[in-house]
Amino acid sequence: MSQWLLLGVNSVSLGGLLFLLSAGFSLIFGLMRIPNLTHGSFFMLGAYLGTSFLALGLDFWLAALLAAAAMAAIGGGIERLLLRRLAGQELAQVLVTLGLSFMIADLCLMIWGGDPIPLDTPRSLRGAMPIASIVFPTYRLAIVVIAVAVAVALWLMLERTRLGAMIRAGVDDAPMARVAGIRVSRLFTLVFCLGAAIAGFAGVMGGPILSVYPGLDADMLPLALIVVILGGTGSLPGALLGSFVIGLFYNFGQVLFPELAYIVLFLPMLLILLFRPQGLFGKHVP
Amino acid sequence: MSRLAAAAAVCLLATVPLWVANGYYVNIVSQILIYAIFALGLNVMVGYAGLVSLGHAGVFGVAGYAAAWLVAAGVGQFPAALGALAAILLTSAGFAVLSLRAAGIGFLMITLAIGQILWGLAYRWIGLTGGDNGISLSARPQPFGISLAPAAPFYYFTLIVFVLAVVSMAVLVASPLGASIKGTRDQPRRMTALGYNVWLVRFLAFLFSGFWSGVAGLLFCYYNQFVSPNVLALGSSAEVLLMVISGGSGTLLGPIAGAALVVVMKNLASAYIERWNFVLGAIFVAIVVFMPEGLVPGSARLGRWLWARLRGVPAAGGAR
């Protein structure tokens, strides 16, 4: 019994990580209409940067925030220097992000080598926490708390601030938002920076669970894709629900059908595509 | 004129093993032909149907896995090849049914997701696929008792398939079906209004595209006598997409030129540097940003522009 419960906790904490990864992915997709294929690379690069900051002796949370800041700068640079040149050409933008993901993957391999690098769990969150006679690993609970906090903060930002209203307007109808005087291209840069930063932060957060290895980007990107197909592009509640559903399917699939875990992952996406192609919370078919 | 050029090209290709004595280089030309078939197949979707797929390596890989698995299970080479062709068509149909629910970026995303799932299966379903170790093919097939083990006979075998692929592409493009495929690319709504079943036209295009991609995968499996999850990886899909785009999509010659360019570069690059993926990514970015219409039309445009400059004529429709 407690084994299943532990699996459930692991699922929820993976869901939290997936939410951190796919929230930015979903917003970028919703606003710019491009699936940002470097998003898995942002996650991995953030994690690698985190290992380097930790090796300098920095605190875990400081390292995670620094990695997020570095990823925001890198993401902003990519948006300004490359994607901006191709404004309006969605296909070209996708292909550029694909090319960049190869470059980042190879660069990481060059700098950090091919061996997996484990990240230590921050000291304050080691061990387990007994809640109602069941013992939970503290760090995984912390991930869930952080993911929920980020979700609430993003939701407040999107629903309650002027900036959020502008982003929602851009997601719903970018040309009309432009006509109304919103500088959508500036929003592009901002959302891209934000998405890259959260992905990089998630990379460091995931380090103690997943460790950091070449190919981490290719493992995470399809998960983000599936989450967004499931939840609907540009929808934060969709990304949240999709993340936890995929977290569950991934962990239980891994244990119940270890060889077919990918088929199990694929099922919810298949059903959604067949019966609700715009996703659970999406407004339009991508 | 173009017939003459085609005849000259075929003569040149047919005599490669005669003037290239070294088996290594013959093998490289075989690789180019295999990838050219793959790129031509993908080009039906990217160039003519206007739907960019990032999952074609899935079809390419399934073909190799089907053949290698059937041969390893004790089925003869010929029935195994037929089984692989059936697997190709089934996989393509499955891909098409799922991905054609969307167009544009949605199509790309769904093909990418399915491609990654096939890769995950090849990698994880160890009982069926051998996981990371892949499956070895004990020998190349022997059509009509001719051994394909040496480089030259295998090259000729590949060349025959290549010529068949090119001819079938030329026939398709000139056919009414080809015209309707291009119609669904340019004006899907108008095609619907005219009474065409856009979905069906795209489905047929996908089957045709998947068929040749799969045939290329089968040849690639025969070439290496080995298949591993690498052939299904996103990198493989991206590489062939780079061939199509770099050569110029929507043309017959472009994907062939792109395949030659990428294979030669890959072999040259791997002789000097280890970082092929970095180079691949960098070329991708550079081509998309600076020469979006592809190297063949792009170079032609640059050439016209330079020529006009040299003659002192103000460039009309030249570099942007």
Side-chain angles (χ1 to χ4, degrees), chain A residues 34-282:
Chain A
I34 63 165
N36 169 31
L37 299 183
T38 44
H39 219 73
S41 318
F42 289 164
F43 184 90
M44 181 174 73
L45 187 55
Y48 271 124
L49 287 173
T51 63
S52 290
F53 290 136
L54 282 175
L56 292 177
L58 292 181
D59 174 63
F60 183 84
W61 302 108
L62 188 62
L65 289 177
L66 277 178
M71 290 320 300
I74 292 171
I78 288 173
E79 206 283 324
R80 278 276 147 182
L81 297 176
L82 284 171
L83 298 180
R84 180 54 50 89
R85 298 177 64 114
L86 303 165
Q89 305 170 43
E90 288 156 353
L91 181 61
Q93 290 179 324
V94 179
L95 296 177
V96 162
T97 59
L98 179 67
L100 283 172
S101 76
F102 284 134
M103 293 170 73
I104 293 176
D106 227 22
L107 214 60
C108 286
L109 192 62
M110 216 182 310
I111 299 175
W112 285 281
D115 295 326
I117 304 178
L119 251 76
D120 284 336
T121 311
R123 194 165 295 125
S124 54
L125 295 176
R126 273 178 211 164
M129 191 184 280
I131 300 175
S133 81
I134 303 155
V135 183
F136 294 106
T138 314
Y139 185 69
R140 290 182 185 264
L141 289 183
I143 288 184
V144 178
V145 171
I146 288 173
V148 170
V150 170
V152 169
L154 278 177
W155 185 81
L156 283 177
M157 190 268 277
L158 278 175
E159 298 292 326
R160 292 281 180 271
T161 65
R162 189 181 154 75
L163 177 70
M166 296 198 310
I167 293 177
R168 277 184 289 133
V171 169
D172 283 349
D173 195 332
M176 277 311 287
R178 278 211 173 86
V179 173
I182 296 171
R183 299 183 65 171
V184 176
S185 71
R186 188 176 285 173
L187 289 182
F188 282 4
T189 312
L190 195 83
V191 167
F192 212 84
C193 286
L194 187 68
I198 307 178
F201 183 77
V204 183
M205 290 288 304
I209 297 176
L210 303 166
S211 85
V212 196
Y213 53 91
L216 181 61
D217 53 344
D219 282 349
M220 296 313 280
L221 180 66
L223 295 181
L225 271 174
I226 296 176
V227 165
V228 170
I229 291 177
L230 207 63
T233 58
S235 155
L236 215 52
L240 191 63
L241 183 66
S243 299
F244 287 117
V245 169
I246 293 302
L248 277 172
F249 271 79
Y250 187 81
N251 270 309
F252 280 88
Q254 209 72 294
V255 170
L256 296 175
F257 318 98
E259 296 204 314
L260 299 177
Y262 271 80
I263 292 263
V264 175
L265 263 185
F266 180 52
L267 274 177
M269 187 184 99
L270 185 76
L271 294 174
I272 286 290
L273 283 176
L274 289 178
F275 297 110
R276 199 176 155 80
Q278 71 271 42
L280 290 174
F281 291 85

Side-chain angles (χ1 to χ4, degrees), chain B residues 109-136:
Chain B
M109 211 169 74
I110 297 171
T111 52
L112 170 64
I114 305 174
Q116 286 300 93
I117 283 155
L118 285 176
W119 171 81
L121 276 182
Y123 189 58
R124 291 282 188 76
W125 197 351
I126 296 166
L128 185 74
T129 62
D132 217 7
N133 295 326
I135 307 178
S136 294

Side-chain angles (χ1 to χ4, degrees), chain B residues 31 36 47 65 71 76 84 102 118 138 140 166 224 235 254 263 270 285 296 307:
Chain B
Q31 260 191 55
Y65 267 105
V71 169
L118 285 176
S138 51
R140 285 175 182 168
V166 173
N224 288 315
V263 172
S270 57
V285 172
V296 174
W307 178 238

